[in-house]
Amino acid sequence: MGLSDEKDRIVINVGGIKHQTYRGTLRTLPGTRLSWLAEPDAPSHFDWDDKHEEFFFDRHPGVFAHILNYYRTGKLHCPADVCGPLYEEELAFWGIDETDVEPCCWMTYSQHREAEEALDSFGGGALLDLTGNDDPDPEIAADQGDGVGDEADEMTRRLAQGDSPDAKAGGVWGRWQKRMWALFEDPYSSKYARWIALASLFFILVSISTFCLETHEFFNPIVNRTELELVDNVTVEHVYQETETVVYLTYIEGVCVVWFTFEFMMRVIFCPDKMEFMKKALNVIDFVAILPFYLEVGLSGLSSKAAKDVLGFLRVVRFVRILRIFKLTRHFVGLRVLGHTLRASTNEFLLLIIFLALGVLIFATMIYYAERMGADPTDPRASDHTHFKNIPIGFWWAVVTMTTLGYGDMYPQTWSGMLVGALCALSGVLTIAMPVPVIVNNFGMYYSLAMAKQKLPKKKNKHIPRAPQPGSPNYCKSSINSPPTPHKAPLLPEIQFPGKKP
């Protein structure tokens, strides 16, 4: 039977759009839903219209055109005007492996997964039923809903949804654990949580301001210290000078540390998973920033030399207090956007570093030898007339020049060196300009997702899907009720045809 025979053709109506193809075309991908339509008994298993002699599927017609084209050409492309989850669902229904998507369209197809993860991390709507099965607190419930929540925290969602052992067991502890965890972890769960977040923000700013003021000479007056030393049974008095931070700044820092300690302890006590809590980077920062203050207070009253050495070391590591600035990511969406951008742009940053490292090595070597072309014959090292005494010194000049800073502390003084400097500056501009647009695009994508999540209205009414009825257009759609497994061909309902072995 030739391909031009009318009996070899098949008509498929998808969403009101008719598609006509050959049965042989559908057999090119065996094991898929469309390949079953080429079987003789297909009309008894699918929605067959005897009047129009066509199969009907109530699916997306635009996506089906691309899927049918896959049977014709052997290349699966992803339409740019279709959302990724919709296309993924259609592939699962028709029984096509998503890994067959062409490389040119794979990024378009898979980018929705990163977008969904980002939306989850920017969302704060997980904490809705904070009171278990009881009636919610009207004041808390009135303030829940819109807004941007904390970063993706699986523990918060698990506790809010009642997945923890305490929540399943119920009782007073389960209800209070939910309330207190949300109060200190999710600033957008209630108005009381927002007050706690504002208090935490205030103490963070005060602590950082105190840390900066402690380095100013106005708050570090010079005082005279007297030390008595016994030399040959004679007491000798030594007077020396040292700086001493004014005491009221220490008191202010102490008040801030007390608040941070209280906040940290409350979050530890009411945390649903202690091990996961301690693995969080922000929680480690909280602990590391609090601990030196208590050690310094405990050792300040000791007079032994070892205690003074440890005390001096603790005063040096006070800089860890500045890490508290990262706690602001709980309250500001922009900082979380920046964090997502940095993580998503790791390859671009690595590429930028490699480009700069190659350029620095090449131009530092070139400037070293270029500056020696016009050296004085009486100068054995050929370095009296130039700033570039060796190649390692040229690394600093190359970094400063390629990044367009140009401090002017080192500069070429010969015509050959100036030519190398010009090439170094131009190469630096091109090197930095290449990866930057990708990083900017990532920032724009995450920022738009964050704004979309912030402005997303609260969903109130949800439809209840009706189970497919035999003989309805939704018959044989059981595969779409379960989410497809990534990178695996979805399983289709098994249909036995006469003459085929099970």
Side-chain angles (χ1 to χ4, degrees):
M1 187 179 293
L3 290 178
S4 60
D5 196 330
E6 288 289 335
K7 294 183 179 180
D8 239 356
R9 295 183 183 180
I10 185 172
V11 179
I12 306 173
N13 188 334
V14 179
I17 305 298
K18 295 185 179 182
H19 302 267
Q20 190 175 111
T21 185
Y22 294 108
R23 295 181 185 271
T25 301
L26 300 182
R27 292 192 182 99
T28 57
L29 296 176
T32 60
R33 193 179 295 271
L34 286 180
S35 67
W36 297 347
L37 300 182
E39 300 295 336
D41 292 345
S44 62
H45 297 282
F46 296 94
D47 191 356
W48 168 258
D49 190 344
D50 291 326
K51 181 179 179 181
H52 299 89
E53 296 186 349
E54 65 184 19
F55 291 97
F56 178 77
F57 292 92
D58 192 14
R59 307 298 301 183
H60 194 288
V63 175
F64 180 77
H66 289 267
I67 292 176
L68 185 58
N69 191 61
Y70 177 41
Y71 285 79
R72 294 166 176 163
T73 64
K75 295 183 178 181
L76 180 61
H77 294 278
C78 178
D81 58 342
V82 175
C83 190
L86 173 61
Y87 193 69
E88 185 175 358
E89 182 179 308
E90 292 297 312
L91 290 181
F93 176 78
W94 298 109
I96 297 177
D97 193 347
E98 65 175 6
T99 58
D100 293 339
V101 175
E102 290 297 307
C104 60
C105 296
W106 179 254
M107 293 300 297
T108 304
Y109 169 74
S110 61
Q111 66 182 359
H112 72 278
R113 294 171 183 168
E114 298 180 0
E116 289 175 348
E117 294 176 359
L119 286 174
D120 290 339
S121 64
F122 293 133
L127 296 174
L128 295 179
D129 186 12
L130 300 177
T131 56
N133 297 326
D134 297 339
D135 293 333
D137 190 342
E139 294 185 358
I140 295 179
D143 290 285
Q144 294 169 354
D146 299 339
V148 180
D150 200 357
E151 61 182 356
D153 195 335
E154 185 63 23
M155 293 186 297
T156 303
R157 290 195 292 269
R158 284 169 46 199
L159 187 56
Q161 296 170 358
D163 291 340
S164 67
D166 292 329
K168 292 180 180 179
V172 178
W173 169 252
R175 291 194 298 269
W176 276 101
Q177 187 182 23
K178 291 180 181 181
R179 285 175 174 268
M180 299 305 295
W181 174 251
L183 190 65
F184 286 90
E185 184 68 17
D186 188 358
Y188 298 91
S189 60
S190 66
K191 68 177 181 180
Y192 301 111
R194 283 195 287 270
W195 292 348
I196 295 293
L198 289 176
S200 179
L201 178 61
F202 170 77
F203 283 109
I204 290 173
L205 297 178
V206 171
S207 176
I208 294 174
S209 300
T210 304
F211 172 76
C212 297
L213 292 177
E214 284 179 354
T215 61
H216 196 279
E217 58 271 12
F218 178 79
F219 299 97
N220 288 275
I222 298 177
V223 296
N224 294 325
R225 297 290 186 185
T226 302
E227 184 177 296
L228 298 179
E229 184 180 358
L230 186 62
V231 179
D232 297 333
N233 295 328
V234 177
T235 302
V236 180
E237 182 178 301
H238 296 283
V239 179
Y240 61 94
Q241 293 181 333
E242 69 175 7
T243 59
E244 183 181 68
T245 304
V246 291
V247 67
Y248 55 84
L249 288 184
T250 304
Y251 291 153
I252 294 175
E253 174 63 18
V255 173
C256 296
V257 171
V258 169
W259 167 261
F260 295 139
T261 304
F262 168 75
E263 183 185 30
F264 183 78
M265 293 303 299
M266 294 296 290
R267 295 173 65 235
V268 170
I269 292 173
F270 295 101
C271 174
D273 191 335
K274 304 298 188 293
M275 292 301 298
E276 289 296 326
F277 179 85
M278 296 307 300
K279 292 179 182 179
K280 296 288 184 179
L282 289 179
N283 299 330
V284 175
I285 290 175
D286 290 345
F287 180 77
V288 172
I290 292 172
L291 185 61
F293 179 83
Y294 289 105
L295 294 178
E296 186 175 344
V297 172
L299 296 174
S300 59
L302 301 179
S303 57
S304 63
K305 185 177 185 304
K308 290 183 178 180
D309 294 339
V310 175
L311 187 61
F313 172 76
L314 291 176
R315 288 174 179 172
V316 172
V317 298
R318 283 180 176 179
F319 70 90
V320 297
R321 288 158 51 187
I322 202 65
L323 298 179
R324 289 174 182 156
I325 195 68
F326 292 107
K327 296 177 64 175
L328 297 179
T329 56
R330 291 195 180 102
H331 313 289
F332 296 102
V333 181
L335 294 178
R336 293 203 295 275
V337 171
L338 180 60
H340 282 286
T341 303
L342 294 178
R343 286 193 295 268
S345 306
T346 303
N347 293 334
E348 287 73 24
F349 282 116
L350 182 61
L351 189 64
L352 179 61
I353 292 174
I354 293 175
F355 286 168
L356 284 176
L358 292 176
V360 166
L361 180 61
I362 292 173
F363 287 106
T365 304
M366 291 177 63
I367 195 67
Y368 173 77
Y369 288 103
E371 284 288 277
R372 271 151 181 74
M373 290 184 178
D376 189 350
T378 61
D379 181 12
R381 295 185 180 272
S383 60
D384 292 340
H385 71 292
T386 180
H387 299 287
F388 304 95
K389 311 296 182 182
N390 49 62
I391 292 179
I393 292 179
F395 291 162
W396 167 253
W397 169 85
V399 170
V400 172
T401 304
M402 293 190 70
T403 54
T404 68
L405 293 177
Y407 288 129
D409 55 343
M410 299 175 62
Y411 53 90
Q413 298 178 353
T414 63
W415 64 268
S416 56
M418 294 178 185
L419 179 61
V420 173
L423 294 175
C424 181
L426 293 175
S427 300
V429 172
L430 297 177
T431 299
I432 296 176
M434 286 186 288
V436 166
V438 181
I439 301 174
V440 173
N441 289 337
N442 289 337
F443 181 85
M445 180 189 67
Y446 285 114
Y447 182 79
S448 62
L449 292 174
M451 293 299 101
K453 188 67 176 181
Q454 186 177 15
K455 297 178 181 179
L456 186 67
K458 182 180 179 181
K459 296 181 180 179
K460 296 182 180 180
N461 300 325
K462 295 184 179 180
H463 68 279
I464 302 176
R466 186 182 65 173
Q469 302 297 324
S472 68
N474 292 330
Y475 188 60
C476 282
K477 290 185 180 179
S478 60
S479 63
I480 68 171
N481 294 329
S482 59
T485 304
H487 305 292
K488 292 183 180 180
L491 299 178
L492 296 175
E494 185 176 358
I495 299 177
Q496 296 297 331
F497 297 104
K500 287 182 174 281
K501 294 183 180 181

